[in-house]
Amino acid sequence: MKKIINDPATVVTEALHGMAAAHPDLRVHTDPAYVVRADAPIRGRVAVISGGGSGHEPLHCGFVGPGMLTAACPGPVFTSPTPDQVQAAVASADGGAGVLLLVKNYTGDVLNFETAAELLAADGVDVRTVIVDDDVAVRDSLFTAGRRGVAGTLPVEKIVGAAAESGADLDTCERLARTVVASVRTMGLALTPCTVPHAGEPSFTLGEDEIEIGIGIHGEPGREKTRLAPAQDLVRKLLQPVLDDLEWQQGDRVLLFSNSMGGTPLIELYLAHGSAAALLTERGLLVERSLVGPYVTSLEMQGISLTLLRLTDELIEWWDAPVSTPALRWGR
């Protein structure tokens, strides 16, 4: 195992210290671990909070800031944050207008966030929870009952965070989150595995010319192992299940999000994005917004995921709204 670390047991804590040094516009806590906007709580504004296991950076802590998340809770690598982390983040972020928890559909994440939500509600906090389950690859996996929450989490956080920033109330923020969850789908593939620091060995194995279609962001098994093929064929394998899963109509406007799993270089990612955009155009879909980059990763895994979000005027307005976070910035 070759990694730029000191001790596998302290990777997350040391990374949070580095984040604090790099981003003075954030308040970074390590016991319990959470990251919050420096100007929070903002009175009268809905607090939008997410979190999950570390190793998927910049998700979620890299999306804390104006126009996106109010706070985020990082667990150990590929391990859910605890309820006390969520409670501490809410205590720092709650401006009195309610709290919306955005949770990827993994058993540990759902259990711990729901436990925190119950405790917060008992203390009088108006808290709602929305589960993200955009992965079309498998119905159940090692970590979930139902579909996994993967890269579709990013547009949920961006759109809801923008609405909250504008002063939208809790009902509106929750409605927007559920609208995006219902309209976003993702499929990914891996060329190589990743290595969790405390495990010290790859999370799965692939042959020299072998890939896995439908991989999860923790290295969970996908739909099939198959031979490496040209990019245009891989893109088609990813997009077809996404297109099959929702009733797309010719003329539908979409956001196409081409995501690196961590180790895929941008030259390959842009190549794949171009192939995906051309395929969607052939199908009569209008790619009105794009995002390309390593935003929802799996440590150093080489691979990509493709996410489609059906757009409306309302969703475009909130997607385009200004955002200023460590990992996503425009319009400010």
Side-chain angles (χ1 to χ4, degrees):
M1 179 178 73
K2 293 181 179 179
K3 290 185 178 289
I4 303 172
I5 62 174
N6 295 312
D7 181 342
T10 61
V11 166
V12 174
T13 298
E14 291 186 70
L16 288 172
H17 287 313
M19 190 171 204
H23 300 288
D25 52 340
L26 302 177
R27 297 201 310 270
V28 179
H29 301 260
T30 57
D31 188 19
Y34 66 94
V35 176
V36 64
R37 287 173 56 163
D39 59 354
I42 303 172
R43 299 307 305 172
R45 193 174 294 174
V46 172
V48 182
I49 298 175
S50 191
S54 296
H56 307 303
E57 289 75 19
L59 189 80
H60 298 270
C61 294
F63 300 141
V64 174
M68 210 158 176
L69 296 178
T70 316
C73 306
V77 175
F78 292 1
T79 303
S80 304
T82 58
D84 68 298
Q85 289 177 254
V86 180
Q87 288 177 278
V90 169
S92 288
D94 183 12
V99 175
L100 184 61
L101 303 178
L102 303 176
V103 185
K104 301 189 306 302
N105 189 35
Y106 293 95
T107 302
D109 288 13
V110 172
L111 176 63
N112 288 347
F113 272 86
E114 287 186 346
T115 298
E118 291 172 3
L119 295 170
L120 290 162
D123 288 338
V125 178
D126 189 357
V127 59
R128 317 274 179 87
T129 302
V130 174
I131 307 299
V132 183
D133 58 352
D134 56 303
D135 190 359
V136 303
V138 294
R139 180 63 60 180
D140 298 290
S141 77
L142 297 176
F143 293 85
T144 65
R147 288 177 166 172
R148 304 175 291 217
V150 287
T153 308
L154 185 153
V156 179
E157 294 179 353
K158 170 63 183 78
I159 287 166
V160 175
E165 188 74 22
S166 77
D169 63 19
L170 185 57
D171 287 341
T172 300
C173 290
E174 181 183 13
R175 175 186 61 79
L176 276 169
R178 297 193 186 283
T179 297
V180 178
V181 169
S183 305
V184 68
R185 298 291 186 272
T186 300
M187 181 87 156
L189 65 82
L191 306 180
T192 65
C194 61
T195 299
V196 177
H198 62 261
E201 57 186 29
S203 53
F204 58 95
T205 58
L206 289 171
E208 279 296 314
D209 62 346
E210 191 175 40
I211 64 172
E212 181 136 11
I213 302 289
I215 199 74
I217 58 174
H218 306 95
E220 309 98 307
R223 288 189 172 189
E224 62 172 330
K225 290 184 178 180
T226 186
R227 298 296 181 190
L228 183 63
Q232 59 190 8
D233 296 335
L234 299 180
V235 165
R236 189 171 290 106
K237 275 183 173 287
L238 295 184
L239 279 183
Q240 193 58 55
V242 170
L243 294 170
D244 290 343
D245 198 75
L246 282 178
E247 294 184 4
W248 303 91
Q249 305 295 327
Q250 283 208 352
D252 277 350
R253 298 176 293 168
V254 299
L255 162 71
L256 171 60
F257 170 26
S258 299
N259 175 64
S260 166
M261 301 299 287
T264 299
L266 275 171
I267 189 170
E268 295 177 24
L269 201 57
Y270 275 117
L271 189 156
H273 185 86
S275 292
L279 189 152
L280 294 173
T281 299
E282 289 174 10
R283 301 292 180 90
L285 301 181
L286 306 178
V287 180
E288 292 210 348
R289 297 294 184 273
S290 292
L291 184 66
V292 179
Y295 292 106
V296 182
T297 65
S298 185
L299 295 170
E300 79 279 21
M301 181 187 290
Q302 288 182 270
I304 63 170
S305 65
L306 297 177
T307 297
L308 283 188
L309 168 63
R310 179 187 284 124
L311 293 171
T312 63
D313 288 342
E314 181 183 37
L315 297 186
I316 289 173
E317 176 187 357
W318 297 126
W319 178 261
D320 288 349
V323 60
S324 181
T325 71
L328 212 60
R329 292 174 179 261
W330 60 68
R332 291 180 68 90

